[in-house]
Amino acid sequence: MSVYEFTGKTVKDAIVKACEELKVDESHLDIDVLEQSARGFLGIVGQRDAKIRVRRRDTDDRVREDKAPDKEPETTVVVADLQTGNDELSAETSDSEEPFWESAEEKATAKAPAPTSIPPEILNARLGEATKVLTNLLSRIPVETEIESSIQNESVYLNIKGDGSGLLIGKKGQTLDALQFMVSKIINKENAQGEKIEIVVDTENYRLRKQENLREMAVKMSLKAKKTLKPVSFNPMPPHERRLIHLILSEDREVYTKSYGEGPMRRIIVYPKRGSSNKRRRR
């Protein structure tokens, strides 16, 4: 029997490629997995494709039993952690016109009084620690970087100055979010809930530009809901972006927002309030 080797991002992708090139069904192949795929650090460093070896079976051989395809093992992705713990509620079905917050913790955070000021000496200490942690993480990425650190509104702000390639931002900001998540977890791992310090990791003013884009999008969708007098749906977005949309549109008295869906498919729907709808019809 002839032996062939194929690679792919996953074992399944390699098998699909083998079937297409050899023009046979998977049931007619003996498959050996030579190497499993690897995500790598932040999806950048150490990535490795899966590699398989296949042998074509004799279609007239009735003795050998079909071999089940190898099951691709699960791989842990750091960015996936960003979704956990922030969005645990199921879809909201109430007809209430009150803004719908992502979780009880978000609602409490939004309505809670301002936290007690953090002593400057503690902020400065955490600033130094956060800078060291981020420097260590960036040392694993093949990009020359420099970190500008500062205290802004009692938050530790770390701005990465790099080559401007967008590698540190990643798709839809996922790499930047992962860096911020890890630095925050390490710095706040021993702090109580009320003593946690906000860590912001940014580069090329990405977060400021993203916030401005979300604000423009929120205003546009609000105007559309009020004009058509019908609910308007956003595309699915991560928890921190939905939270910002909720906060922006909570200032608009003619609309209210709710979240629907599960996991990465969770999205915001903007509803026109009944009172504002009647006013517009009278006009």
Side-chain angles (χ1 to χ4, degrees), residues 174-245:
Q174 288 183 344
T175 302
L176 197 62
D177 287 342
L179 289 169
Q180 178 172 297
F181 175 83
M182 287 188 290
V183 174
S184 179
K185 279 292 185 182
I186 293 171
I187 297 303
N188 290 302
K189 63 181 179 180
E190 297 180 355
N191 293 348
Q193 183 65 36
E195 300 174 352
K196 293 188 181 297
I197 296 175
E198 182 181 9
I199 308 292
V200 179
V201 178
D202 198 4
T203 184
E204 302 174 29
N205 291 321
Y206 171 81
R207 297 204 182 280
L208 178 60
R209 289 185 283 110
K210 184 66 175 179
Q211 183 172 335
E212 291 174 350
N213 290 339
L214 287 174
R215 183 174 293 276
E216 291 177 2
M217 186 190 307
V219 172
K220 180 179 179 180
M221 299 296 272
S222 172
L223 290 174
K224 184 176 180 180
K226 289 184 285 189
K227 182 178 180 179
T228 62
L229 301 179
K230 296 180 180 179
V232 179
S233 175
F234 283 84
N235 290 326
M237 57 180 62
H240 62 278
E241 293 184 9
R242 292 198 303 274
R243 183 162 54 250
L244 183 58
I245 295 294

Coordinates of all heavy atoms in Angstrom, one line a residue, residues 174-245:
Q174 N -8.0 40.2 20.3 CA -7.9 39.1 21.2 C -6.6 38.9 21.9 O -6.5 38.6 23.1 CB -8.3 37.8 20.4 CG -9.7 37.7 20.1 CD -10.0 36.4 19.3 OE1 -9.1 35.7 18.9 NE2 -11.3 36.0 19.3
T175 N -5.5 39.2 21.2 CA -4.1 39.1 21.8 C -4.0 40.1 22.9 O -3.5 39.9 24.0 CB -3.0 39.2 20.7 OG1 -3.2 38.2 19.7 CG2 -1.7 39.1 21.3
L176 N -4.4 41.4 22.6 CA -4.3 42.4 23.6 C -5.2 42.1 24.8 O -4.7 42.4 25.9 CB -4.7 43.8 22.9 CG -4.3 45.1 23.7 CD1 -2.8 45.2 23.7 CD2 -4.9 46.3 23.0
D177 N -6.4 41.6 24.6 CA -7.2 41.2 25.7 C -6.6 40.1 26.5 O -6.7 40.1 27.8 CB -8.6 40.7 25.2 CG -9.4 41.9 24.7 OD1 -9.2 43.1 25.0 OD2 -10.4 41.6 23.9
A178 N -5.9 39.2 25.9 CA -5.3 38.1 26.6 C -4.2 38.6 27.5 O -4.0 38.2 28.6 CB -4.8 37.0 25.6
L179 N -3.4 39.5 27.0 CA -2.3 40.1 27.7 C -2.8 40.8 29.0 O -2.3 40.7 30.1 CB -1.5 41.1 26.9 CG -0.6 40.4 25.8 CD1 -0.1 41.5 24.8 CD2 0.6 39.7 26.4
Q180 N -3.9 41.6 28.7 CA -4.5 42.4 29.8 C -5.1 41.5 30.9 O -4.9 41.7 32.1 CB -5.6 43.3 29.3 CG -6.3 44.1 30.4 CD -7.2 45.2 29.7 OE1 -6.8 46.1 29.1 NE2 -8.5 45.0 30.0
F181 N -5.7 40.4 30.4 CA -6.3 39.4 31.3 C -5.3 38.8 32.2 O -5.5 38.7 33.5 CB -7.1 38.4 30.5 CG -7.7 37.2 31.4 CD1 -8.9 37.4 32.0 CD2 -7.0 36.0 31.5 CE1 -9.4 36.4 32.8 CE2 -7.5 35.0 32.3 CZ -8.7 35.2 32.9
M182 N -4.2 38.3 31.6 CA -3.1 37.7 32.4 C -2.5 38.6 33.4 O -2.2 38.2 34.6 CB -2.1 37.0 31.5 CG -2.7 35.8 30.8 SD -1.4 34.9 29.8 CE -1.1 36.0 28.5
V183 N -2.1 39.8 33.0 CA -1.5 40.8 33.9 C -2.4 41.1 35.1 O -2.0 41.1 36.2 CB -1.1 42.1 33.1 CG1 -0.6 43.1 34.1 CG2 -0.1 41.8 32.1
S184 N -3.7 41.3 34.8 CA -4.7 41.6 35.8 C -4.8 40.4 36.8 O -4.9 40.7 38.0 CB -6.0 41.9 35.2 OG -7.0 42.2 36.2
K185 N -4.9 39.2 36.3 CA -5.0 38.0 37.2 C -3.8 37.9 38.1 O -4.0 37.6 39.3 CB -5.2 36.8 36.3 CG -6.6 36.5 35.8 CD -7.5 36.2 36.9 CE -8.9 35.9 36.4 NZ -9.9 35.6 37.5
I186 N -2.6 38.1 37.6 CA -1.4 38.0 38.4 C -1.3 39.1 39.4 O -1.0 38.8 40.6 CB -0.2 38.0 37.5 CG1 -0.2 36.7 36.6 CG2 1.1 38.0 38.3 CD1 0.9 36.8 35.5
I187 N -1.6 40.3 39.1 CA -1.5 41.4 40.0 C -2.5 41.4 41.1 O -2.3 41.7 42.2 CB -1.6 42.7 39.2 CG1 -0.4 42.9 38.3 CG2 -1.6 43.9 40.2 CD1 1.0 42.8 38.9
N188 N -3.8 40.9 40.7 CA -4.9 40.9 41.7 C -5.2 39.6 42.3 O -6.2 39.4 43.0 CB -6.1 41.5 41.0 CG -6.1 42.9 40.6 OD1 -5.9 43.8 41.5 ND2 -6.2 43.2 39.4
K189 N -4.3 38.6 42.1 CA -4.6 37.2 42.6 C -4.8 37.1 44.1 O -5.6 36.3 44.6 CB -3.6 36.3 42.2 CG -2.2 36.5 42.8 CD -1.2 35.5 42.2 CE 0.2 35.8 42.8 NZ 1.2 34.8 42.3
E190 N -4.2 38.0 44.9 CA -4.3 37.9 46.4 C -5.2 39.1 46.9 O -5.3 39.2 48.2 CB -2.9 37.9 47.0 CG -2.1 36.7 46.6 CD -0.8 36.7 47.3 OE1 -0.4 37.7 47.9 OE2 0.0 35.7 47.1
N191 N -5.7 39.9 46.1 CA -6.5 41.1 46.6 C -7.9 40.7 46.7 O -8.5 39.9 46.0 CB -6.4 42.2 45.6 CG -5.0 42.8 45.5 OD1 -4.2 42.5 46.3 ND2 -4.8 43.7 44.5
A192 N -8.6 41.3 47.7 CA -10.0 41.1 47.9 C -10.8 41.8 46.8 O -10.2 42.6 46.1 CB -10.4 41.6 49.3
Q193 N -12.1 41.5 46.7 CA -12.9 42.0 45.6 C -12.9 43.5 45.6 O -12.7 44.1 44.5 CB -14.4 41.5 45.8 CG -15.3 42.0 44.7 CD -14.9 41.4 43.3 OE1 -14.5 40.3 43.3 NE2 -15.1 42.2 42.3
G194 N -13.0 44.2 46.8 CA -13.0 45.6 46.8 C -11.7 46.3 46.7 O -11.6 47.5 46.6
E195 N -10.6 45.5 46.6 CA -9.2 46.0 46.6 C -8.6 45.8 45.2 O -7.4 46.1 45.1 CB -8.4 45.4 47.7 CG -8.9 45.7 49.1 CD -8.1 44.9 50.1 OE1 -7.3 44.1 49.7 OE2 -8.4 45.1 51.3
K196 N -9.3 45.2 44.3 CA -8.7 44.9 43.0 C -8.4 46.2 42.2 O -9.2 47.2 42.3 CB -9.6 44.0 42.2 CG -9.8 42.7 42.8 CD -10.6 41.7 41.9 CE -10.8 40.4 42.5 NZ -9.5 39.7 42.7
I197 N -7.3 46.2 41.6 CA -6.8 47.4 40.8 C -7.1 47.1 39.3 O -6.7 46.0 38.8 CB -5.4 47.7 41.1 CG1 -5.2 48.1 42.5 CG2 -4.8 48.8 40.1 CD1 -3.7 48.3 42.9
E198 N -7.7 48.0 38.6 CA -7.9 47.8 37.2 C -6.6 48.0 36.4 O -5.9 48.9 36.6 CB -8.9 48.9 36.7 CG -9.3 48.7 35.2 CD -10.2 49.7 34.7 OE1 -10.5 50.7 35.4 OE2 -10.7 49.5 33.5
I199 N -6.4 47.0 35.5 CA -5.2 47.0 34.7 C -5.6 47.2 33.3 O -6.5 46.5 32.8 CB -4.4 45.7 34.8 CG1 -4.1 45.3 36.3 CG2 -3.1 45.7 33.9 CD1 -3.1 46.2 36.9
V200 N -5.1 48.2 32.6 CA -5.4 48.4 31.2 C -4.1 48.3 30.4 O -3.1 48.9 30.6 CB -6.0 49.9 31.0 CG1 -6.3 50.1 29.5 CG2 -7.2 50.0 31.8
V201 N -4.2 47.4 29.4 CA -3.0 47.2 28.5 C -3.5 47.6 27.1 O -4.5 47.2 26.6 CB -2.6 45.7 28.4 CG1 -1.5 45.5 27.4 CG2 -2.2 45.2 29.8
D202 N -2.7 48.5 26.5 CA -3.1 49.1 25.2 C -1.9 49.2 24.3 O -0.8 49.1 24.8 CB -3.8 50.5 25.4 CG -4.6 51.0 24.3 OD1 -4.7 50.2 23.3 OD2 -5.1 52.1 24.3
T203 N -2.2 49.4 23.0 CA -1.1 49.7 22.1 C -1.7 50.4 20.9 O -2.8 50.1 20.5 CB -0.4 48.4 21.6 OG1 0.7 48.7 20.7 CG2 -1.4 47.4 20.9
E204 N -1.0 51.3 20.4 CA -1.4 52.1 19.2 C -2.8 52.7 19.4 O -3.5 52.9 18.5 CB -1.4 51.2 17.9 CG -0.1 50.6 17.6 CD -0.2 49.6 16.5 OE1 -1.0 49.8 15.6 OE2 0.6 48.6 16.5
N205 N -3.1 53.1 20.7 CA -4.4 53.7 21.0 C -5.6 52.8 20.5 O -6.7 53.3 20.2 CB -4.5 55.1 20.4 CG -3.6 56.1 21.0 OD1 -3.4 56.1 22.2 ND2 -3.0 56.9 20.2
Y206 N -5.4 51.5 20.5 CA -6.4 50.6 20.0 C -7.7 50.7 20.9 O -8.8 50.8 20.3 CB -5.9 49.2 20.0 CG -7.0 48.2 19.7 CD1 -7.4 47.9 18.4 CD2 -7.7 47.5 20.8 CE1 -8.4 47.0 18.1 CE2 -8.7 46.5 20.5 CZ -9.1 46.3 19.2 OH -10.1 45.4 18.9
R207 N -7.6 50.7 22.2 CA -8.8 50.7 23.0 C -9.6 52.0 22.9 O -10.8 52.0 22.9 CB -8.4 50.5 24.5 CG -7.7 49.1 24.7 CD -7.8 48.6 26.1 NE -7.2 47.3 26.2 CZ -7.7 46.1 25.8 NH1 -8.9 46.1 25.3 NH2 -7.0 45.0 26.0
L208 N -8.9 53.1 22.8 CA -9.6 54.4 22.6 C -10.3 54.4 21.3 O -11.5 54.8 21.2 CB -8.6 55.6 22.7 CG -9.2 57.0 22.4 CD1 -10.2 57.3 23.5 CD2 -8.0 58.0 22.4
R209 N -9.7 54.0 20.2 CA -10.3 53.9 18.9 C -11.5 52.9 18.9 O -12.5 53.2 18.3 CB -9.3 53.5 17.8 CG -8.3 54.6 17.5 CD -7.3 54.2 16.4 NE -6.3 53.2 16.8 CZ -6.3 52.0 16.4 NH1 -7.3 51.5 15.6 NH2 -5.3 51.2 16.8
K210 N -11.3 51.8 19.6 CA -12.4 50.8 19.7 C -13.6 51.4 20.4 O -14.8 51.2 20.0 CB -11.9 49.6 20.4 CG -12.9 48.4 20.4 CD -13.2 47.9 19.1 CE -14.1 46.7 19.1 NZ -14.4 46.1 17.8
Q211 N -13.3 52.1 21.5 CA -14.4 52.7 22.3 C -15.2 53.7 21.5 O -16.4 53.8 21.5 CB -13.8 53.3 23.6 CG -14.9 53.9 24.5 CD -14.3 54.4 25.8 OE1 -13.3 53.9 26.2 NE2 -15.0 55.3 26.5
E212 N -14.5 54.5 20.7 CA -15.1 55.5 19.9 C -16.0 54.9 18.8 O -17.1 55.3 18.5 CB -14.1 56.5 19.2 CG -13.4 57.4 20.3 CD -12.2 58.2 19.6 OE1 -11.9 57.9 18.5 OE2 -11.7 59.1 20.3
N213 N -15.5 53.8 18.2 CA -16.2 53.1 17.2 C -17.5 52.4 17.8 O -18.6 52.5 17.1 CB -15.4 52.0 16.6 CG -14.2 52.5 15.7 OD1 -14.3 53.6 15.2 ND2 -13.2 51.7 15.5
L214 N -17.4 51.9 19.0 CA -18.6 51.3 19.6 C -19.6 52.4 20.0 O -20.8 52.1 19.8 CB -18.2 50.6 20.9 CG -17.4 49.2 20.7 CD1 -16.9 48.7 22.1 CD2 -18.3 48.2 20.0
R215 N -19.1 53.5 20.4 CA -20.1 54.6 20.7 C -20.8 55.1 19.4 O -22.0 55.3 19.4 CB -19.3 55.8 21.3 CG -20.3 57.0 21.7 CD -19.5 58.0 22.4 NE -19.0 57.5 23.7 CZ -19.8 57.5 24.8 NH1 -21.0 58.0 24.8 NH2 -19.3 57.1 26.0
E216 N -20.1 55.2 18.3 CA -20.7 55.6 17.1 C -21.8 54.5 16.6 O -22.8 54.8 16.1 CB -19.7 55.8 16.0 CG -18.8 57.0 16.2 CD -17.7 57.1 15.2 OE1 -17.7 56.3 14.2 OE2 -16.9 58.0 15.2
M217 N -21.4 53.3 16.8 CA -22.3 52.2 16.4 C -23.5 52.2 17.3 O -24.6 52.0 16.8 CB -21.5 50.8 16.5 CG -22.3 49.6 16.0 SD -21.5 48.1 16.5 CE -19.8 48.3 15.8
A218 N -23.3 52.4 18.6 CA -24.5 52.4 19.5 C -25.5 53.5 19.1 O -26.7 53.3 19.1 CB -24.0 52.6 20.9
V219 N -25.0 54.7 18.9 CA -25.8 55.8 18.5 C -26.6 55.5 17.2 O -27.8 55.8 17.1 CB -25.0 57.1 18.3 CG1 -25.9 58.2 17.8 CG2 -24.4 57.5 19.7
K220 N -25.9 54.9 16.2 CA -26.5 54.6 14.9 C -27.6 53.6 15.1 O -28.7 53.8 14.5 CB -25.4 54.0 14.0 CG -25.9 53.7 12.6 CD -24.8 53.1 11.7 CE -25.3 52.7 10.4 NZ -24.2 52.2 9.5
M221 N -27.4 52.5 15.9 CA -28.4 51.5 16.1 C -29.6 52.1 16.9 O -30.8 51.7 16.7 CB -27.8 50.3 16.8 CG -26.7 49.7 16.1 SD -27.2 48.9 14.5 CE -27.7 47.3 15.1
S222 N -29.3 53.0 17.8 CA -30.4 53.6 18.6 C -31.3 54.4 17.7 O -32.5 54.4 17.8 CB -29.8 54.5 19.7 OG -30.8 55.2 20.4
L223 N -30.7 55.2 16.8 CA -31.5 56.0 15.9 C -32.3 55.2 15.0 O -33.5 55.5 14.7 CB -30.5 56.9 15.1 CG -29.8 58.0 15.8 CD1 -28.8 58.7 14.9 CD2 -30.8 59.1 16.4
K224 N -31.8 54.0 14.5 CA -32.5 53.1 13.7 C -33.7 52.5 14.4 O -34.8 52.4 13.8 CB -31.6 52.0 13.2 CG -32.2 51.1 12.2 CD -31.2 50.1 11.6 CE -31.9 49.1 10.6 NZ -30.9 48.2 10.1
A225 N -33.5 52.1 15.7 CA -34.6 51.6 16.4 C -35.7 52.6 16.6 O -36.9 52.3 16.5 CB -34.1 51.1 17.8
K226 N -35.4 53.8 16.9 CA -36.4 54.9 17.1 C -37.1 55.3 15.8 O -38.3 55.6 15.9 CB -35.7 56.1 17.8 CG -35.3 55.8 19.2 CD -34.7 57.1 19.9 CE -33.3 57.4 19.4 NZ -32.6 58.4 20.2
K227 N -36.4 55.2 14.7 CA -36.9 55.6 13.5 C -37.9 54.5 12.9 O -39.0 54.8 12.5 CB -35.8 55.8 12.4 CG -36.4 56.2 11.1 CD -35.2 56.5 10.1 CE -35.7 56.9 8.7 NZ -34.6 57.2 7.8
T228 N -37.5 53.2 13.1 CA -38.4 52.1 12.5 C -39.4 51.7 13.6 O -40.3 50.9 13.2 CB -37.5 51.0 12.1 OG1 -36.8 50.5 13.3 CG2 -36.5 51.4 11.1
L229 N -39.2 52.0 14.8 CA -40.1 51.6 15.9 C -40.0 50.1 16.1 O -41.0 49.4 16.5 CB -41.5 52.1 15.7 CG -41.7 53.6 15.7 CD1 -43.1 53.9 15.4 CD2 -41.1 54.3 16.9
K230 N -38.9 49.5 15.7 CA -38.7 48.0 15.8 C -37.4 47.7 16.5 O -36.4 48.5 16.4 CB -38.7 47.4 14.4 CG -40.0 47.5 13.7 CD -40.0 46.9 12.3 CE -41.3 47.0 11.5 NZ -41.2 46.4 10.2
P231 N -37.3 46.5 17.1 CA -36.0 46.1 17.7 C -34.9 46.0 16.7 O -35.1 45.6 15.6 CB -36.3 44.8 18.4 CG -37.8 44.7 18.5 CD -38.3 45.5 17.4
V232 N -33.7 46.4 17.1 CA -32.5 46.3 16.2 C -31.4 45.5 16.9 O -31.1 45.8 18.1 CB -32.0 47.8 15.9 CG1 -30.8 47.7 15.0 CG2 -33.1 48.6 15.2
S233 N -30.8 44.6 16.2 CA -29.9 43.7 16.8 C -28.4 44.0 16.3 O -28.2 44.2 15.2 CB -30.2 42.2 16.4 OG -29.2 41.3 16.9
F234 N -27.5 44.0 17.3 CA -26.1 44.0 17.0 C -25.6 42.7 16.6 O -26.3 41.7 16.8 CB -25.3 44.5 18.3 CG -25.4 45.9 18.6 CD1 -26.5 46.4 19.3 CD2 -24.4 46.8 18.2 CE1 -26.6 47.8 19.6 CE2 -24.5 48.2 18.5 CZ -25.6 48.6 19.2
N235 N -24.4 42.6 16.0 CA -23.8 41.4 15.8 C -23.2 40.8 17.1 O -23.0 41.6 18.1 CB -22.6 41.5 14.8 CG -23.1 41.8 13.4 OD1 -24.1 41.3 13.0 ND2 -22.3 42.6 12.6
P236 N -22.9 39.5 17.2 CA -22.4 39.0 18.5 C -21.1 39.7 18.8 O -20.3 40.1 17.9 CB -22.1 37.6 18.2 CG -23.1 37.2 17.1 CD -23.2 38.5 16.3
M237 N -20.9 40.0 20.1 CA -19.6 40.7 20.6 C -19.3 40.2 22.0 O -20.1 39.6 22.7 CB -19.8 42.2 20.5 CG -21.0 42.7 21.4 SD -21.1 44.5 21.3 CE -21.5 44.8 19.6
P238 N -18.0 40.4 22.4 CA -17.6 39.9 23.7 C -18.2 40.6 24.8 O -18.7 41.7 24.6 CB -16.0 40.0 23.6 CG -15.8 41.1 22.6 CD -16.9 40.9 21.6
P239 N -18.1 40.1 26.1 CA -18.8 40.7 27.2 C -18.4 42.2 27.5 O -19.3 43.0 27.7 CB -18.3 39.8 28.4 CG -18.0 38.5 27.8 CD -17.5 38.8 26.4
H240 N -17.1 42.5 27.4 CA -16.7 43.9 27.8 C -17.2 44.9 26.7 O -17.5 46.0 27.1 CB -15.2 44.0 27.9 CG -14.4 43.7 26.6 ND1 -14.1 42.4 26.2 CD2 -13.9 44.5 25.7 CE1 -13.4 42.5 25.1 NE2 -13.3 43.7 24.8
E241 N -17.4 44.5 25.5 CA -18.0 45.4 24.5 C -19.5 45.5 24.7 O -20.0 46.6 24.6 CB -17.7 44.9 23.1 CG -16.2 44.9 22.7 CD -15.9 44.5 21.3 OE1 -16.9 44.4 20.5 OE2 -14.7 44.4 20.9
R242 N -20.2 44.4 25.0 CA -21.6 44.5 25.3 C -21.9 45.4 26.5 O -22.8 46.2 26.5 CB -22.2 43.1 25.6 CG -22.2 42.2 24.3 CD -23.2 41.1 24.5 NE -22.8 40.3 25.7 CZ -22.0 39.3 25.7 NH1 -21.3 39.0 24.6 NH2 -21.7 38.6 26.8
R243 N -21.0 45.3 27.5 CA -21.2 46.1 28.7 C -21.1 47.6 28.4 O -21.8 48.4 28.9 CB -20.1 45.7 29.8 CG -20.2 46.4 31.1 CD -19.5 45.7 32.2 NE -18.1 45.5 31.8 CZ -17.6 44.3 31.6 NH1 -18.3 43.2 31.6 NH2 -16.3 44.2 31.3
L244 N -20.1 47.9 27.5 CA -20.0 49.3 27.1 C -21.2 49.8 26.3 O -21.7 50.9 26.6 CB -18.7 49.5 26.3 CG -18.3 50.9 25.8 CD1 -18.2 51.8 27.1 CD2 -17.1 50.9 25.0
I245 N -21.7 49.0 25.5 CA -22.9 49.3 24.7 C -24.1 49.6 25.7 O -24.9 50.6 25.5 CB -23.3 48.3 23.7 CG1 -22.2 48.1 22.6 CG2 -24.6 48.6 23.0 CD1 -22.1 49.3 21.7

